Amino acid sequence: MSGNTDRLNLSAAILAGGEGRRMGRTDKSCLEISGEKLVSRIIRSLEGLFAETFVITRTPENHPDLDVRLVCDLFESRSSLTGIHSALYHSRTDHVFITACDSPFLNRELISELLSRVEPDDDVVIPIHPDGFYEPLCAVYSKRCLPFIEQNLKKNIFQIIRFFPQVKVKTVDTDLLAKKDQDLTTFININTPDELSRVREDLNNPTDRSGSGQNSFPNSIPRSAALKLIRKSIALPKCKYVPVTDCSGLVAAETLQSGISLPEHDRSAMDGFAVPSACTSAASTNLPVEVGFSGEIRPSCPVPDKCEGQAVRVLTGGIIPEGTDAVIPFENVQVGECSISISTPVRKGDFIRNTGSDIMKDETIVNSGTVISPCDAALLAYAGIRSVPIYPMPKVAVLAVGNELCDPAQKTQCGLIPADNLILMKSLCCRYGIHDVHIAPCANSPEAISEAVQANRDCGLIVTTGGTGPGNRDFVFNSIRQAGGRPIFKGLAMHPAKSVFAFSMDNSIVIGLPGPPNAVNLAFHTIINPVINMLQAKAETSATTPAITTDALKGGRDREKLRPCRIFEDNGKIFADPLLDKSLSPRKVMSLCNGIIILPADCGELPPQSIVQVIRL
């Protein structure tokens, strides 16, 4: 965003607290178009433009599906001005972009143009039509407006523009904004059932409105926003049961608890004698205590009878009989024919594994959405669990697009290049546990791309490499769309791999990557691997760790920058060498790196010894 206002100082508020009188007193935010709630559509339209998007609503119970902050009005009166007041009051930033939940055609480019006009000392930045009509629900407001709005609300003055003379207002001509949104569909609102019907019809015709067809998906958004959109497009996978012997490394589909305490009885931790500790309290070297014993308890024995004032021989794992409360090892006693001589007192609980010391009944062994470790699997079996509900690993298909590419496993024909991205992608998938990976080169033609994508619809994830740029030979995006894909986003505010895009198609996610292998490698770890984790319903999709840079680095303007690095430890500290030696080719850097430095957008120049976040490979 240009201008003097950093987008991190801007939030967005969606007003969803109206009565919906002309809609039959219906909560308009819950109305659906194209199978999506209006408020959800607005949130998606704003994704990545603001530090936070939140919703003003009087009925938060209607929105359990939203993963944004929900706040309520502070005044009882229902009006747009009441909503603006609440938005400013609850905002965590100085300036707030405010829109309504009934604006289905918000244009991101128009909004970005409006935001670029905001200066820190502006109180209102608002579109204005040639006839002088304002668009107050597609405008930016400052918290400095709060006292003046509050005064008007207390006087029952609800017209928004009535407080404008008391603050600094900047207007932006809609003729200028029309360069970004030709038909100004951003300003369309849905107020009546007839208008809702027309909008639904418009959305079924992808050519009728610039805001409803080709531009209905976000462009050039932050990676974090893109991953959120992909997550929303993924249905929870169906779980299946596998034997406990095969569950390690898979994701638990349910939180699994022990049905019993383990050990289920107090058991001996040593080969020795189970004794009542009280009878040994007077034992000494000069005056040993004699205790009679009888019988032997093995680990396989049932619960033994109560032992009254005597000792009993017990092997490791044997159940401690009632009447005894400690175990003394064989080597610490003198053993007679029917008694033992104890010369040192023993304490209650010595060498006993208490009931539940490994795990108590109803205690969680593994949480839903987490990977079952080998130790977890062993504990599940120990707890008597024989069949484990898991989310299966997804099938993955990788298509390398290009007429110059050939199967890397076959003899290279003259003039063709082995599609090494296929080997790279398959190997990376296998490294992270995905072994059902179909790879194939694909001719660079719309027909071949569409056919190849449709042929792999049974895969949870389809990845293409190459053909994502703006050139007239880059067919992949439109070909996937023709194959039935629904765009999720197109382009990332990220370098490299800024041309990454994503589609949902039936039960598949389709992601287009650029062609250079270095970009594919970086995109795998920052986009593909998190999506694979989502397809397994993992609770955590990606993780970073702090490290100290060895060299100065420069971030990107308005975009995240990825830098391959070599991670190493020295004196207990983690360092990241960004491999800036210009003699290293991109492929050499790929071979040397074991991590990726994540430089946030607009982070500027970082001196050596700066702390950065890295992804370990």
Side-chain angles (χ1 to χ4, degrees):
M1 192 178 74
S2 58
N4 297 326
T5 303
D6 192 313
R7 65 176 163 194
L8 293 181
N9 290 324
L10 277 163
S11 55
I14 302 170
L15 308 189
E19 292 182 288
R21 285 174 293 180
R22 287 185 285 170
M23 194 63 74
R25 296 195 179 278
T26 297
D27 184 350
K28 289 194 291 184
S29 65
C30 293
L31 296 174
E32 290 191 1
I33 53 176
S34 299
E36 184 178 30
K37 284 169 56 174
L38 270 174
V39 68
S40 299
R41 182 181 176 89
I42 302 299
I43 292 170
R44 176 169 59 81
S45 298
L46 301 176
E47 191 82 57
L49 290 177
F50 299 95
E52 182 193 25
T53 297
F54 60 101
V55 175
I56 314 296
T57 176
R58 293 173 185 261
T59 54
E61 66 275 8
N62 289 350
H63 305 294
D65 56 316
L66 300 184
D67 59 356
V68 299
R69 189 162 56 107
L70 306 177
V71 298
C72 294
D73 285 323
L74 301 175
F75 282 82
E76 285 298 322
S77 56
R78 295 202 180 196
S79 68
S80 296
L81 187 63
T82 305
I84 293 172
H85 174 271
S86 299
L88 293 174
Y89 179 87
H90 290 291
S91 173
R92 295 166 178 165
T93 60
D94 293 334
H95 287 79
V96 189
F97 171 78
I98 296 177
T99 187
C101 69
D102 58 359
S103 302
F105 300 131
L106 290 185
N107 183 290
R108 292 170 62 86
E109 292 187 5
L110 182 148
I111 294 170
S112 294
E113 179 65 29
L114 182 69
L115 300 184
S116 73
R117 306 284 166 163
V118 179
E119 301 287 344
D121 60 345
D122 291 332
D123 293 321
V124 179
V125 179
I126 187 169
I128 187 170
H129 292 273
D131 59 2
F133 181 79
Y134 291 108
E135 291 289 349
L137 295 186
C138 184
V140 176
Y141 297 85
S142 161
K143 275 182 173 286
R144 291 186 293 269
C145 299
L146 266 173
F148 307 110
I149 296 175
E150 193 165 319
Q151 288 173 11
N152 284 4
L153 288 173
K154 289 178 178 179
K155 298 175 183 178
N156 291 325
I157 299 174
F158 299 118
Q159 189 178 9
I160 295 174
I161 65 173
R162 287 284 294 275
F163 78 89
F164 282 11
Q166 298 167 287
V167 297
K168 181 180 178 181
V169 177
K170 177 187 289 182
T171 59
V172 181
D173 291 342
T174 55
D175 287 346
L176 175 66
L177 297 175
K179 295 178 180 178
K180 303 296 183 181
D181 181 7
Q182 183 176 359
D183 297 325
L184 294 178
T185 53
T186 294
F187 304 135
I188 291 176
N189 301 109
I190 300 174
N191 294 304
T192 67
D194 286 343
E195 290 175 356
L196 177 63
S197 296
R198 284 197 297 271
V199 166
R200 285 171 172 166
E201 290 174 4
D202 290 345
L203 286 168
N204 288 329
N205 180 359
T207 62
D208 66 330
R209 292 190 185 276
S210 62
S212 61
Q214 184 175 352
N215 296 323
S216 62
F217 51 87
N219 292 266
S220 300
I221 61 174
R223 179 171 59 93
S224 59
L227 291 174
K228 285 183 181 179
L229 291 177
I230 293 174
R231 182 184 282 281
K232 291 178 182 178
S233 300
I234 293 176
L236 191 69
K238 294 181 179 179
C239 80
K240 71 175 187 177
Y241 282 80
V242 298
V244 68
T245 52
D246 300 330
C247 70
S248 179
L250 300 174
V251 177
E254 298 175 10
T255 294
L256 301 173
Q257 298 172 320
S258 178
I260 56 175
S261 294
L262 295 169
E264 70 278 23
H265 302 283
D266 290 351
R267 289 182 178 268
S268 175
M270 295 286 288
D271 289 344
F273 290 91
V275 298
S277 60
C279 73
T280 71
S281 59
S284 67
T285 304
N286 296 328
L287 192 60
V289 172
E290 295 287 329
V291 180
F293 77 88
S294 64
E296 181 179 80
I297 302 172
R298 297 174 179 273
S300 58
C301 290
V303 178
D305 295 332
K306 184 176 181 179
C307 184
E308 296 284 359
Q310 281 197 323
V312 60
R313 186 189 299 268
V314 61
L315 301 184
T316 302
I319 297 175
I320 303 300
E322 187 181 354
T324 64
D325 58 11
V327 172
I328 185 167
F330 287 154
E331 59 268 24
N332 292 349
V333 298
Q334 294 291 325
V335 182
E337 185 175 346
C338 296
S339 67
I340 57 174
S341 177
I342 304 171
S343 56
T344 303
V346 297
R347 295 171 301 178
K348 180 180 179 179
D350 279 357
F351 298 108
I352 290 179
R353 293 173 54 223
N354 293 319
T355 301
S357 57
D358 288 331
I359 191 166
M360 294 295 293
K361 182 180 179 181
D362 297 329
E363 184 178 342
T364 295
I365 300 175
V366 61
N367 286 302
S368 175
T370 58
V371 178
I372 302 171
S373 71
C375 294
D376 292 334
L379 187 54
L380 290 169
Y382 179 42
I385 297 173
R386 300 290 172 255
S387 184
V388 181
I390 57 91
Y391 291 121
M393 294 286 192
K395 291 176 61 177
V396 177
V398 184
L399 306 172
V401 178
N403 293 330
E404 76 283 9
L405 302 177
C406 64
D407 187 338
Q410 304 297 323
K411 183 177 180 180
T412 304
Q413 301 178 30
C414 181
L416 297 182
I417 303 170
D420 53 340
N421 277 336
L422 298 178
I423 303 297
L424 176 62
M425 284 292 301
K426 182 172 184 176
S427 301
L428 288 169
C429 287
C430 290
R431 179 193 291 183
Y432 291 96
I434 308 296
H435 298 289
D436 192 350
V437 184
H438 170 73
I439 60 174
C442 177
N444 187 26
S445 72
E447 298 77 17
I449 296 167
S450 293
E451 182 180 341
V453 170
Q454 289 178 326
N456 288 282
R457 294 173 89 109
D458 62 327
C459 295
L461 176 63
I462 304 171
V463 181
T464 67
T465 67
T468 61
N472 57 11
R473 295 290 298 169
D474 294 311
F475 305 125
V476 180
F477 184 88
N478 288 332
S479 298
I480 296 172
R481 200 169 188 178
Q482 290 297 318
R486 296 174 295 281
I488 300 174
F489 68 87
K490 185 179 184 182
L492 294 177
M494 182 176 85
H495 176 79
K498 67 178 182 180
S499 59
V500 171
F501 58 75
F503 284 81
S504 62
M505 189 171 70
D506 296 334
N507 295 318
S508 302
I509 295 294
V510 187
I511 299 187
L513 303 183
N518 62 314
V520 170
N521 184 47
L522 294 172
F524 177 89
H525 294 286
T526 53
I527 295 290
I528 301 300
N529 194 40
V531 172
I532 289 174
N533 290 337
M534 292 177 196
L535 290 167
Q536 298 175 74
K538 282 185 179 178
E540 182 179 352
T541 57
S542 59
T544 62
T545 187
I548 303 168
T549 60
T550 60
D551 289 289
L553 291 171
K554 186 176 181 180
R557 180 176 175 81
D558 294 330
R559 60 182 177 176
E560 183 181 58
K561 193 171 183 180
L562 309 179
R563 180 68 218 178
C565 67
R566 187 72 189 171
I567 298 173
F568 62 94
E569 294 189 25
D570 187 18
N571 291 326
K573 296 181 179 180
I574 301 175
F575 291 87
D577 174 5
L579 301 171
L580 299 178
D581 186 343
K582 293 184 178 179
S583 66
L584 297 175
S585 69
R587 287 186 180 273
K588 188 68 173 178
V589 169
M590 281 177 58
S591 298
L592 293 174
C593 77
N594 63 355
I596 301 172
I597 297 172
I598 308 294
L599 297 175
D602 300 314
C603 67
E605 296 189 16
L606 303 180
Q609 304 296 304
S610 294
I611 296 177
V612 293
Q613 293 296 314
V614 298
I615 296 175
R616 287 180 178 268
L617 308 187

